[in-house]
Amino acid sequence: VRALLLCSAENVDRVIEGLAEAENLQQQRRLTGYGRVSAQRAEVSDDHRAVLVAEGEITIDDVHLYAVPIPSTFFASGGSRCLTVALAYDPPVRPTRLDYLANHMEVHAYYGASTETVREAYVRQAASDDRPPPALENFRLKLQPSSNHRGKGVHQFGSKVFRQRLDDAKGNRFVVAIKNTNRWDAIGAQQQYALAIALERDPGHAALYLEIGENCPIGF
């Protein structure tokens, strides 16, 4: 439920002005968070917006990958396209603020790299390193808010709006990676989580819901 509500969030009107742009965004985020949630957007998809949901358990210091089919309308000219990723989890906590989460989860999205390429980059990375692998930097989508902001909590939201059509030569899949890094949990501990991913196209362009349903593996 939390992941679906996060995924439904939409920007609210800016209420902070008069500062440098970066500080405007920072202060805006403090007041309005990820935006305004919508019960309707959380509960249903429509022709131009498809929401994919997964629930699972991940071992500490492990990575889960999801291959997300890109609808053909994302490769067509005109309008905008949006990818939204939302992650919710509930780690054990300490009463003190210093490293109070037992584990730390990060979610990142990649485009132009195969699932195998992403997997190999994470395998080569140290288990204790919770940053995205440097080898994948050219493929990592710059979701907003940045990982520096969204990665601090257990409710994480990031989105990317594409104003130009995607290049089909780079493939027809996004790869979403979730990494769970141990802080003080027991070796081998499992962490439950929920992931929600929305693919959205502006009205006036081809619908995507049925296509996503046909191409997305059962159990996403």
Side-chain angles (χ1 to χ4, degrees):
V1 170
R2 286 185 288 148
L4 287 171
L5 282 172
L6 281 168
C7 203
S8 77
E10 295 182 284
N11 288 332
V12 299
D13 293 337
R14 179 173 290 190
V15 295
I16 299 293
E17 297 289 354
L19 304 173
E21 183 62 19
E23 192 172 355
N24 273 340
L25 290 174
Q26 183 180 20
Q27 296 298 334
Q28 175 84 14
R29 217 173 271 126
R30 288 176 176 174
L31 289 173
T32 61
Y34 294 136
R36 181 180 290 111
V37 298
S38 163
Q40 181 176 2
R41 284 168 59 86
E43 292 174 348
V44 298
S45 299
D46 59 40
D47 287 346
H48 290 84
R49 181 175 179 269
V51 181
L52 310 175
V53 182
E55 293 182 282
E57 289 189 350
I58 185 171
T59 307
I60 56 173
D61 294 331
D62 201 359
V63 179
H64 283 183
L65 301 180
Y66 292 87
V68 182
I70 301 175
S72 56
T73 186
F74 273 40
F75 302 108
S77 299
S80 63
R81 314 132 194 86
C82 184
L83 168 70
T84 300
V85 179
L87 172 69
Y89 67 110
D90 56 347
V93 297
R94 285 173 170 162
T96 58
R97 294 290 296 178
L98 182 62
D99 287 336
Y100 74 105
L101 298 181
N103 56 76
H104 173 238
M105 295 186 69
E106 286 268 356
V107 58
H108 295 281
Y110 300 94
Y111 177 52
S114 67
T115 305
E116 184 62 22
T117 298
V118 175
R119 186 192 72 83
E120 290 177 356
Y122 275 96
V123 167
R124 291 194 299 268
Q125 188 180 40
S128 59
D129 190 349
D130 56 6
R131 298 171 300 174
L136 298 175
E137 189 59 29
N138 290 337
F139 307 107
R140 185 166 64 93
L141 296 175
K142 303 303 189 289
L143 303 177
Q144 293 298 323
S146 70
S147 59
N148 290 337
H149 293 283
R150 67 175 184 270
K152 294 178 180 178
V154 299
H155 302 107
Q156 299 184 20
F157 169 97
S159 66
K160 169 71 174 177
V161 177
F162 303 90
R163 301 296 181 186
Q164 298 181 338
R165 68 181 186 88
L166 274 62
D167 182 1
D168 55 7
K170 294 182 178 180
N172 61 356
R173 292 287 189 275
F174 296 119
V175 179
V176 174
I178 297 174
K179 184 169 184 178
N180 184 23
T181 306
N182 189 21
R183 284 180 169 169
W184 49 264
D185 211 344
I187 300 301
Q190 297 284 317
Q191 173 62 60
Q192 293 183 329
Y193 71 87
L195 174 70
I197 298 175
L199 297 162
E200 191 167 4
R201 188 72 156 104
D202 56 331
H205 293 86
L208 55 78
Y209 179 80
L210 291 179
E211 183 181 349
I212 292 295
E214 294 171 354
N215 292 317
C216 190
I218 294 175
F220 180 93

